[in-house]
Structure formats: structure tokens, C-alpha cells
């Protein structure tokens, strides 16, 4: 059987009308996150109420204050954006987050990760509302976009015969009804396919956790004095290993070590809790980093805060660097404002193509039922 353009049209149509709905939902929620960096401080004034000072308050004091204010959970990490004037964030395992003025240690804002406009939109966009499989569902939408909608769509759009690229990239205003709707669908799709493809393909490793872990890799860091053999596995029924919070002295000692090991970092995320036998994990973004997710890893001894090992971003494995470049690109953190605008237009194009695709299907006239054939003997009667 020869596969022609007409053969692939139903495949493109029905993948768009089914799995493509996931893509439309992802693109629509992505529109609300495109300019989050610029708008978050305006939407949540308290989160922009930080302050730069020569002698900031100790991180341990802010962690302690947050713990007293929210005793029902444990502190997971602290995020410090140095030199930005933004407050220091203290996040708990239940996603509750407190924001501190680093100069006087006062709480300036409080909000759960998925609360507010941007938090709720992120919750929808990531599929966090469908526990366990939400990310997989969003990943299926991204794969559908890459293979069935973008890839197959380009094949179907590609000019053939006397039709030129100029004609294929312009809208024919003379067309009416379904022909005009399909013309809009094809033309807008041709212009939006590049940013949409980038957004979708960079979202795939974010959505599929096994792929994400494979690209990042696991850094094996042995604590000083720890046995070389792996820790015995927990017996059935013992449950998961509990997270152990670092002491105030360890937090401050680790922070001093981070500042000594890094070169004017713009951001530091410091996990102040660890599992038994594992180090404290920190990542830092260098002030001259190639993008906003270029994470250099730092590992510290939870006993005294001493830095055990560092893994600069520049010397990390290629797949590690590729993953975080894709994460930055997907979040609109590459290319500044022009990069955000391009991704916004790609998401808008996806929503528009979804709408016009459904409209063109609804505009298709129903096929008339064929009249049953009359036997020759009956016609002659």
C-alpha cells in the first residue's frame, strides 16, 4: 500500500482531536507562565520586597523563624538570589513557602508553591493535579506535538506542484467556510511550528522522570568515615527513610563553604535536610553562567558543614548540561525578553491551531446516506 498525503490527513486530524487536546491545555496554561519572571513581583508585592545589604541575617535564623511559624512540616530548602534584592525563600516539604527580608530576618510574604495565579497555573501546566501520572500525561501531549502534529503537519503543509512557499505562508482571504479555516490552520501552523516544536521537545525530559534522571545522572558522594559498601536496604514494612534536618551550626558553616567555593553566584538553592548516610545537596548558578539553569552542584557533610565535593556546570556530563539548557529554554530563561516572546507566540499558535482544527472538523458537512441499490428485475417490473 502506497502511503500518500491523503493517507496521513486522518492520522493528523484524529491525533489532534484526541491527544492534541492535551497539547492545547499545556499551551494555554503555558501562556500564563510566559512572563512570570517580570510579573511575579507585581502580582505578589511581598515577594519583591527584598533588600540588598552588606551583612545579611544568618540563613539558620531565617530557617528557624520559618520552622516556628510552620511547625507542621520540615524545611526542605532555602533559595537565595544574591544581588537581586529579592527575598530569601524558605520552602517546606509540604510546599509552603516563607519569604524573608535578608537584612533584618523578617517575614515579608507567605504562599504555598501552587497558590496564587502563577502557582495555580504551574500546577495545571505540570499536571500536578493528577498525582503520579500527571507529568506522563503532559509528556504524551508533548510527544504528540513533536511527532503527529508538528512533524506530520509540516509534511502535509509542504508546498507541492505549482503552489509556492510564499503562497503557503500567506492567508488566502478569498477562501470561504472550511477552506478559509483550514488556510488559517495551515498558515499559522507554519509560522508557529518552530517555537512550538522547541517548547514541546524541551518539555519531554521534564515530564518523563526516568528520562530526566538518566540525563542528569546520579552523583555518588561518600561521607567522610562512611563504609565503602552500600547501606543495607530497609526491610519490608519499615517505610521510607526519614529526612534529617541540619543543625543551625551546620547550615551556617555550609553557607560559608559555599561562598568560598563559588564565584559571585546569582542564585543558591540549599537543601538543609538529608537522608541518612547522604550529604547535603546544594546547587549554585554562577554570575557568569551561560543561562539561568546552569547548575553547579555542591555537596556538604551534614555533620559539620564541610564541603565534600563540587561539580561545576562546565565540567558536568553533556547530558546533564543538555537537560538544564532544555529546562531553561522551556521556562523562557534563554534569550531574555525576545526568547519569552517567541515562546509565548508558539503557545498562542498552538491554541489557535487547536481551535481552527476543531472548527474545520465541525464545518465538514455530514455525508449523505447512500440510497440502497435497486435490483434490475425490480426496475423492469
Amino acid at each position: 500500500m502506497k502511503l500518500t498525503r491523503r493517507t496521513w490527513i486522518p492520522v493528523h486530524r484524529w491525533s489532534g482531536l484526541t491527544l492534541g487536546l492535551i497539547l492545547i491545555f499545556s499551551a494555554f496554561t503555558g501562556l500564563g507562565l510566559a512572563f512570570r519572571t517580570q510579573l511575579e513581583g507585581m502580582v505578589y508585592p511581598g515577594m519583591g520586597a527584598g533588600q540588598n545589604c552588606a551583612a545579611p541575617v544568618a540563613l539558620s535564623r531565617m530557617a528557624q523563624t520559618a520552622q516556628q511559624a510552620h511547625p507542621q512540616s520540615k524545611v526542605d530548602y532555602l533559595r537565595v538570589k544574591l544581588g537581586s534584592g529579592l527575598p530569601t525563600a524558605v520552602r517546606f516539604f509540604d510546599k509552603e513557602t516563607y519569604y524573608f527580608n535578608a537584612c533584618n530576618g523578617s517575614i515579608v510574604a507567605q504562599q504555598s508553591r501552587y497558590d496564587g495565579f502563577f502557582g495555580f497555573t504551574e500546577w495545571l501546566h505540570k499536571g500536578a493535579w493528577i498525582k503520579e501520572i500527571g507529568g506522563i500525561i503532559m509528556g504524551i501531549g508533548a510527544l504528540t506535538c513533536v511527532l503527529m502534529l508538528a512533524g506530520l503537519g509540516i509534511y502535509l503543509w509542504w508546498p507541492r506542484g505549482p503552489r509556492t512557499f510564499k503562497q503557503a505562508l500567506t492567508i488566502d482571504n478569498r477562501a470561504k467556510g472550511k477552506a478559509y479555516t483550514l488556510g488559517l490552520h495551515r498558515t499559522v501552523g507554519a509560522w508557529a511550528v518552530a517555537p512550538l516544536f522547541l517548547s514541546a521537545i524541551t518539555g519531554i525530559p521534564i515530564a518523563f522522570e526516568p528520562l530526566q534522571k538518566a540525563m542528569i545522572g546520579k552523583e555518588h558522594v561518600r561521607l567522610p568515615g562512611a563504609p565503602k559498601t552500600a547501606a543495607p536496604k530497609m526491610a519490608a514494612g519499615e517505610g521510607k527513610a526519614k529526612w534529617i534536618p541540619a543543625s543551625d551550626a551546620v547550615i551556617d558553616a555550609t553557607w560559608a563553604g559555599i561562598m568560598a567555593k563559588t564565584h559571585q553566584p546569582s542564585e543558591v538553592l540549599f537543601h538543609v535536610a538529608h537522608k541518612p548516610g547522604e550529604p547535603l545537596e546544594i546547587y549554585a548558578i554562577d554570575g557568569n553562567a551561560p543561562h539561568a539553569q546552569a547548575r553547579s552542584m555542591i555537596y556538604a557533610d551534614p555533620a559539620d558543614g564541610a564541603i565534600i565535593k563540587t561539580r561545576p556546570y562546565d565540567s558536568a556530563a553533556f547530558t546533564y548540561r543538555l537537560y538544564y539548557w532544555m529546562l531553561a529554554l522551556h521556562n523562557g530563561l534563554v534569550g531574555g525578553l525576545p526568547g519569552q516572546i517567541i515562546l509565548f507566540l508558539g503557545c498562542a499558535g498552538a491554541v489557535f491551531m487547536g481551535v481552527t482544527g476543531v472548527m474545520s472538523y465541525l464545518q465538514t458537512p455530514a455525508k449523505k446516506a447512500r440510497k440502497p441499490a435497486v435490483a434490475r428485475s425490480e426496475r423492469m417490473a
Side-chain angles (χ1 to χ4, degrees):
M1 177 182 175
K2 185 179 180 181
L3 297 177
T4 64
R5 180 175 176 274
R6 188 175 293 274
T7 307
W8 290 110
I9 289 177
V11 178
H12 179 76
R13 178 190 300 125
W14 286 107
S15 60
L17 291 173
T18 53
L19 296 175
L21 297 177
I22 303 172
L23 171 66
I24 296 172
F25 179 83
S26 181
F28 183 74
T29 53
L31 287 172
L33 298 171
F35 301 103
R36 184 176 187 173
T37 305
Q38 290 88 348
L39 299 177
E40 193 160 36
M42 298 168 60
V43 177
Y44 314 126
M47 295 185 188
Q51 191 176 345
N52 288 318
C53 51
V57 171
L59 289 183
S60 60
R61 177 180 157 186
M62 288 184 272
Q64 190 179 73
T65 302
Q67 188 65 75
Q68 291 171 353
H70 192 67
Q72 56 267 45
S73 186
K74 296 295 182 183
V75 176
D76 179 11
Y77 65 77
L78 299 92
R79 186 192 298 269
V80 185
K81 295 191 175 183
L82 297 95
S84 65
L86 295 174
T88 297
V90 180
R91 178 161 289 167
F92 290 80
F93 280 103
D94 65 358
K95 306 303 181 185
E96 194 65 46
T97 310
Y98 286 76
Y99 296 87
F100 286 81
N101 183 317
C103 295
N104 57 28
S106 63
I107 298 173
V108 295
Q110 173 194 353
Q111 183 168 280
S112 179
R113 175 174 182 175
Y114 295 129
D115 284 350
F117 173 78
F118 290 114
F120 180 68
T121 305
E122 180 190 357
W123 180 74
L124 293 173
H125 185 74
K126 295 174 66 175
W129 44 284
I130 309 176
K131 293 183 178 179
E132 307 297 335
I133 62 170
I136 296 174
I137 292 174
M138 292 301 167
I140 291 171
L143 277 172
T144 303
C145 171
V146 171
L147 299 175
M148 292 297 166
L149 302 182
L152 190 53
I154 291 172
Y155 167 75
L156 296 174
W157 165 85
W158 200 266
R160 292 166 177 82
R163 191 165 177 255
T164 65
F165 279 97
K166 183 178 179 180
Q167 290 173 317
L169 291 169
T170 55
I171 298 170
D172 185 2
N173 292 315
R174 297 170 301 176
K176 303 295 180 183
K178 180 182 177 180
Y180 181 72
T181 305
L182 284 174
L184 285 175
H185 183 81
R186 286 192 294 260
T187 305
V188 173
W191 286 103
V193 68
L196 180 58
F197 179 83
L198 280 176
S199 181
I201 202 167
T202 53
I204 291 172
I206 301 170
F208 293 108
E209 189 174 349
L211 177 58
Q212 178 187 135
K213 289 182 177 180
M215 292 181 72
I216 295 174
K218 177 66 176 177
E219 188 79 15
H220 298 283
V221 181
R222 191 165 61 91
L223 297 176
K228 294 184 178 181
T229 56
K233 293 184 178 180
M234 301 183 73
E238 286 187 332
K240 295 181 180 179
K242 294 183 178 180
W243 291 88
I244 304 171
S247 67
D248 291 349
V250 168
I251 291 174
D252 294 335
T254 303
W255 181 253
I258 294 168
M259 292 297 98
K261 291 287 185 179
T262 55
H263 175 68
Q264 298 180 341
S266 61
E267 179 181 344
V268 175
L269 190 143
F270 177 7
H271 286 278
V272 296
H274 66 97
K275 289 182 178 179
E278 295 185 3
L280 297 170
E281 290 190 9
I282 306 104
Y283 78 70
I285 309 294
D286 190 84
N288 298 319
H291 58 76
Q293 289 291 350
R295 304 182 181 186
S296 295
M297 297 301 300
I298 303 170
Y299 302 91
D301 189 339
D304 57 11
I307 304 300
I308 305 170
K309 187 176 182 179
T310 61
R311 182 175 66 177
Y313 176 81
D314 292 341
S315 61
F318 171 74
T319 54
Y320 177 94
R321 289 181 282 120
L322 176 62
Y323 172 79
Y324 283 111
W325 180 83
M326 293 174 78
L327 178 63
L329 183 62
H330 188 79
N331 290 336
L333 300 175
V334 175
L337 183 59
Q340 290 175 288
I341 293 173
I342 291 171
L343 284 179
F344 178 85
L345 293 175
C347 289
V351 174
F352 185 84
M353 284 188 290
V355 171
T356 52
V358 172
M359 286 177 60
S360 67
Y361 173 73
L362 296 176
Q363 288 173 325
T364 303
K367 292 183 179 180
K368 294 182 180 180
R370 291 185 177 181
K371 294 181 179 180
V374 181
R376 185 165 181 257
S377 58
E378 293 181 11
R379 291 200 303 268
M380 295 179 65

